[in-house]
Amino acid sequence: VERMGRRRQLVICLLGVGGPLLLMGAAQASLKQQPSVFVLLLLLHQVFGSVGPRTLFWVTISEIYPAKYRATGKCLGVLVLSVGQASHH
């Protein structure tokens, strides 16, 4: 993150996330005959998303909030997730 710079990394990765989605939307009819191209575009979307926006979000959160508040927030998030999942069963 620090070598490339956050803004530059975010712009490149957001283009990498949005580009495959735009291509999938534009070529939707032809992708039905070529599922391997669809899988490749989806893979590119996931790779760029994992490297850019998702990573930068967690780096930024860890720099802004102290560990005590992050831990409390994570516990509350897990609690809400558990209650939500239990209500679906």
Side-chain angles (χ1 to χ4, degrees):
V1 173
E2 297 301 327
R3 252 185 264 169
M4 182 183 285
R6 293 175 188 189
R7 183 175 297 170
R8 187 175 181 195
Q9 181 179 358
L10 190 59
V11 168
I12 291 170
C13 290
L14 286 177
L15 290 173
V17 167
L21 291 178
L22 288 173
L23 288 173
M24 282 190 276
Q28 187 176 7
S30 63
L31 287 176
K32 290 181 181 179
Q33 286 95 23
Q34 299 176 344
S36 60
V37 176
F38 174 78
V39 171
L40 178 68
L41 289 172
L42 190 60
L43 182 67
L44 281 173
H45 168 74
Q46 289 296 317
V47 167
F48 276 103
S50 296
V51 172
R54 293 180 202 142
T55 304
L56 289 175
F57 172 76
W58 290 109
V59 168
T60 305
I61 292 297
S62 68
E63 292 174 345
I64 293 175
Y65 298 110
K68 176 183 173 183
Y69 298 118
R70 284 194 322 252
T72 304
K74 189 177 279 192
C75 289
L76 289 173
V78 169
L79 176 68
V80 169
L81 181 65
S82 300
V83 168
Q85 285 181 342
S87 68
H88 287 287
H89 292 273

